[in-house]
Amino acid sequence: MKMKQSGKLSVLHVLGGLWCGGTEAFVMNMFRSIDREKVQFDFLIHEKSKAHYDDEVLSLGGNIYRIPDRTEVGTVKYILTLVRILLQIKPDVIHAHAMFNAGVIMLASWLARIKTRVCHAHSSDDQNRLSLSRKMFRSIMRMCIYVFATHYAACSEKAAEYLFGEGIVKKGKVNLINNGIDVNKYISVTRDQTNQIRKELGVSDKHYVIGLVSRLVEVKNPLYIIKIFEQIREINQDALIVIVGEGPLKWEIEKELKKRNLTEHVRLTGNRSDVPIIMSAFDIFVLPSIFEGLGIVAIEAQARGLPCILSDGVSLKADLGLGLIKYISLNDENEWIRAITSRPKKLMDSHKIIDAFKDEGYDVKSASNKLLQVYGLS
């Protein structure tokens, strides 16, 4: 692809917001690892207020542009506004991380004559009720994506089939890009850092720490662990939960903890920028999501060598073959309790972890190189 006179390939990422979620984590990992002398990442955001990654984006040299959500202004006005912004910014590449809403973005990008239009699937389902109007919307958006996107990308085959349809996947048109992470951030945490974070969290040596890192939203299902925690503590009185993240369910979680007299046994940290260090305080990681396109946080947990209990709504692709993953149906609460209280061992062999990430393509360098190939750079 031909570069601009500035010498940089300009890429505009379109997201709902720069929250602390899996999609955002993927984009930020790519931003940190790319050669920023050659590639410029900018962001078009629908969130009005400042979010978790805003400051880091600016510190890395990115620009943040804001646009009203399509549901606020209507589809026609949204398209016209988006085209006007794109004609002003003139990116070489537009990269949409907006699931079915990406159909409108691809159309507007085509109208703005952006040559490289990437649509990226990050989830294998959503929680919107499948009414007739919703089904029609999905069909129209999928058609827009098919017609106007020049490249299709996904974190897993399951996510690709959900957004693009089986036809595009079977034709081999989808670029599967692993949600690569910087493994060294997780294996290089020192004992002093671990001791410090455990002290900050009020965790003693006797505690058995169950960790969850996610947005506190229904699809992530954080209340599931709270509801079985009483039975876990009947088996292990030293069990303690650390939940990292923010979201609309936080108030409901606090209410449930108070109702069950569990508040003193659960730590709610909010969003944190030191997740690798916090994970070092965990004894086991849980992810009871209703569905996940991949479950990047489970990848991160394996980088720390943590045994992981995942719902069967999490992609099988999240298992890196390190013997750390166990999938359990959300319908089997007793098996969740047994698995969590069995105290599976951590993996302490950092060389084995590094090798697995390289072999499976989940190291950040492999992922960013594949992304640059999609953009037309080798």
Side-chain angles (χ1 to χ4, degrees):
M1 174 173 285
K2 188 178 179 180
M3 299 273 195
K4 288 187 175 180
Q5 289 185 351
S6 64
K8 288 187 180 183
L9 179 77
S10 62
V11 180
L12 182 67
H13 290 276
V14 185
L15 302 100
L18 290 168
W19 300 299
C20 196
T23 299
E24 295 84 355
F26 164 76
V27 177
M28 291 307 298
N29 282 333
M30 296 302 98
F31 196 7
R32 297 179 192 116
S33 66
I34 61 167
D35 185 347
R36 292 189 292 279
E37 293 298 317
K38 294 181 179 179
V39 184
Q40 171 71 32
F41 272 16
D42 294 320
F43 296 81
L44 183 61
I45 303 301
H46 298 81
E47 174 63 41
K48 296 176 183 177
S49 58
K50 183 178 178 181
H52 181 75
Y53 287 117
D54 283 36
D55 287 341
E56 185 178 1
V57 164
L58 297 174
S59 72
L60 292 174
N63 297 299
I64 299 174
Y65 305 96
R66 301 190 187 274
I67 184 174
D69 192 87
R70 178 186 60 81
T71 57
E72 294 178 21
V73 297
T75 301
V76 174
K77 187 174 181 180
Y78 177 82
I79 292 173
L80 293 174
T81 303
L82 182 52
V83 169
R84 177 177 53 79
I85 292 173
L86 294 177
L87 289 173
Q88 291 174 349
I89 300 173
K90 296 180 180 178
D92 298 308
V93 179
I94 188 157
H95 191 154
H97 310 266
M99 294 308 290
F100 286 99
N101 286 310
V104 176
I105 298 167
M106 294 296 100
L107 169 59
S109 303
W110 176 79
L111 291 171
R113 298 184 178 181
I114 297 172
K115 291 183 178 180
T116 303
R117 304 178 294 274
V118 183
C119 184
H120 203 137
H122 291 277
S123 182
S124 59
D125 207 338
D126 68 35
Q127 286 191 297
N128 288 303
R129 184 173 56 87
L130 277 180
S131 61
L132 179 60
S133 60
R134 182 66 184 172
K135 288 180 180 179
M136 290 178 62
F137 172 77
R138 285 186 179 183
S139 296
I140 294 169
M141 290 300 99
R142 183 176 282 165
M143 180 59 68
C144 286
I145 291 169
Y146 180 77
V147 172
F148 297 112
T150 60
H151 298 76
Y152 312 98
C155 63
S156 69
E157 189 170 301
K158 191 175 179 181
E161 289 177 350
Y162 174 67
L163 182 59
F164 308 129
E166 292 183 5
I168 290 179
V169 177
K170 287 180 179 178
K171 290 177 183 177
K173 291 186 175 182
V174 179
N175 298 278
L176 293 178
I177 302 175
N178 291 333
N179 289 2
I181 67 169
D182 185 350
V183 183
N184 288 323
K185 286 185 177 180
Y186 294 82
I187 63 176
S188 64
V189 177
T190 66
R191 185 180 295 275
D192 285 344
Q193 287 175 311
T194 300
N195 290 339
Q196 182 61 39
I197 197 66
R198 287 177 74 93
K199 183 179 178 182
E200 178 187 329
L201 295 171
V203 175
S204 69
D205 291 338
K206 73 172 185 175
H207 281 123
Y208 178 61
V209 183
I210 303 161
L212 170 62
V213 181
S214 80
R215 290 188 66 210
L216 305 183
V217 293
E218 287 187 19
V219 66
K220 302 297 184 180
N221 205 18
L223 284 164
Y224 186 87
I225 295 301
I226 302 300
K227 290 174 180 177
I228 64 173
F229 190 43
E230 282 178 295
Q231 293 164 277
I232 291 172
R233 281 190 52 78
E234 286 176 7
I235 298 170
N236 186 344
Q237 285 290 311
D238 295 325
L240 181 145
I241 297 177
V242 174
I243 298 177
V244 182
E246 290 282 355
L249 288 184
K250 184 175 181 180
W251 177 85
E252 193 171 342
I253 290 171
E254 291 174 337
K255 180 181 175 182
E256 194 68 24
L257 291 175
K258 189 173 182 180
K259 172 185 170 183
R260 295 171 183 265
N261 294 316
L262 292 171
T263 302
E264 65 177 296
H265 306 296
V266 177
R267 310 287 188 264
L268 300 174
T269 72
N271 288 333
R272 299 282 298 230
S273 59
D274 56 350
V275 169
I277 297 174
I278 289 186
M279 279 190 169
S280 75
F282 297 172
D283 293 297
I284 191 169
F285 177 79
V286 295
L287 191 61
S289 301
I290 297 171
F291 55 81
E292 290 276 355
L294 174 68
I296 187 172
V297 71
I299 304 296
E300 294 171 340
Q302 289 172 89
R304 186 55 210 168
L306 291 173
C308 303
I309 311 300
L310 312 180
S311 78
D312 56 2
V314 179
S315 172
L316 295 175
K317 208 180 169 208
D319 188 350
L320 300 186
L322 289 165
L324 293 169
I325 300 289
K326 184 178 180 66
Y327 291 94
I328 305 175
S329 168
L330 292 171
N331 294 324
D332 196 345
E333 291 184 359
N334 290 332
E335 184 57 28
W336 274 84
I337 294 165
R338 279 194 293 270
I340 291 170
T341 56
S342 67
R343 301 182 75 107
K345 293 182 179 179
K346 295 181 181 181
L347 177 61
M348 307 304 291
D349 188 340
S350 60
H351 295 292
K352 187 175 181 180
I353 292 172
I354 291 171
D355 288 344
F357 271 78
K358 287 182 178 178
D359 291 344
E360 297 297 326
Y362 277 100
D363 62 300
V364 70
K365 197 63 182 175
S366 296
S368 61
N369 284 340
K370 195 162 187 179
L371 182 62
L372 291 180
Q373 288 174 9
V374 172
Y375 295 159
L377 295 176
S378 56

